[in-house]
């Protein structure tokens, strides 16, 4: 019996585009997960109107196969021609204000303090410049939206 090699599937290809809103946002890094019956991409990115790197999302249709094509960027609920920020408030934290939110990473796990399962997107945040120094913050899903957290979980003291 031979071993069948894993098939490589390209899932992140900015050249393919992610639907109509692709012209309004540039993704710079992403994480892809399956939540319920859909694939979700949580990405760092920026728009011309908001040059700081922030967190956005895109999804495939329920049951669609994993691929680089077919992603739809989540639109802003107040303006469907604009990509939605994952946390729809403006950053004013001392630890992620000017340098943006980079390298999102989705995690689902049990929080013993809350005594329940939680979904979070951790990210690297920078206060002064996109090159750092960084802190690690997260957004938490409340069942309807991603909620920004007021404090980081880790703070660097050097570049």
């Amino acid at each position: 019996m031979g071993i069948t090699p894993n098939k490589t599937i390209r899932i992140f290809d900015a050249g393919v585009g992610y639907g109509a809103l692709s012209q309004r946002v540039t993704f710079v890094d992403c994480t892809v997960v399956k939540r319920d019956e859909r694939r979700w991409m949580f990405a760092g990115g920026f728009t011309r109107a908001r040059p700081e790197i922030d967190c956005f999302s895109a999804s495939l249709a329920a049951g669609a196969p994993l691929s680089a094509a077919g992603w739809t960027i989540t639109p802003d609920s107040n303006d469907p021609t604009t990509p939605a920020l994952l946390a729809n408030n403006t950053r004013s934290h001392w630890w992620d204000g000017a340098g943006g939110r980079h390298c999102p990473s989705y995690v689902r796990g049990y929080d013993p303090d809350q005594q329940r399962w939680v979904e979070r997107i951790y990210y690297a945040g920078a206060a002064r410049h996109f090159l750092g120094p960084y802190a690690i913050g997260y957004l938490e899903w409340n069942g309807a939206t991603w909620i920004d957290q007021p404090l980081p979980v880790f703070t660097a003291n050097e570049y």
Side-chain angles (χ1 to χ4, degrees):
M1 284 178 47
I3 297 174
T4 304
N6 290 334
K7 180 181 176 186
T8 301
I9 301 171
R10 178 180 279 177
I11 57 172
F12 184 73
D13 188 342
V16 171
Y18 304 110
L21 295 181
S22 291
Q23 304 303 315
R24 304 198 118 207
V25 64
T26 299
F27 287 170
V28 293
D29 50 20
C30 73
T31 185
V32 175
V33 299
K34 187 172 183 184
R35 296 174 68 220
D36 300 317
E37 296 302 314
R38 297 178 82 170
R39 305 276 183 177
W40 285 88
M41 178 187 305
F42 300 109
F46 59 91
T47 65
R48 287 185 182 158
R50 189 179 174 98
E52 300 90 11
I53 295 174
D54 215 316
C55 294
F56 299 90
S57 65
S59 62
L60 291 170
L66 187 58
S67 72
W71 293 93
T72 301
I73 295 171
T74 306
D76 186 297
S77 59
N78 295 320
D79 179 2
T81 66
T82 302
L85 296 174
L86 280 186
N88 54 4
N89 60 334
T90 57
R91 286 185 319 276
S92 59
H93 303 305
W94 58 268
W95 53 277
D96 72 354
R101 294 173 169 170
H102 305 256
C103 307
S105 183
Y106 172 87
V107 176
R108 182 179 184 274
Y110 188 78
D111 183 327
D113 293 333
Q114 297 184 41
Q115 296 187 348
R116 66 181 182 89
W117 288 89
V118 296
E119 292 180 273
R120 293 181 178 158
I121 297 173
Y122 288 88
Y123 62 89
R128 291 175 286 212
H129 191 275
F130 73 93
L131 294 175
Y134 292 109
I136 304 297
Y138 69 93
L139 308 172
E140 186 168 298
W141 183 249
N142 72 358
T145 190
W146 294 98
I147 304 298
D148 193 18
Q149 303 302 302
L151 296 172
V153 294
F154 173 83
T155 305
N157 57 10
E158 292 183 22
Y159 277 91

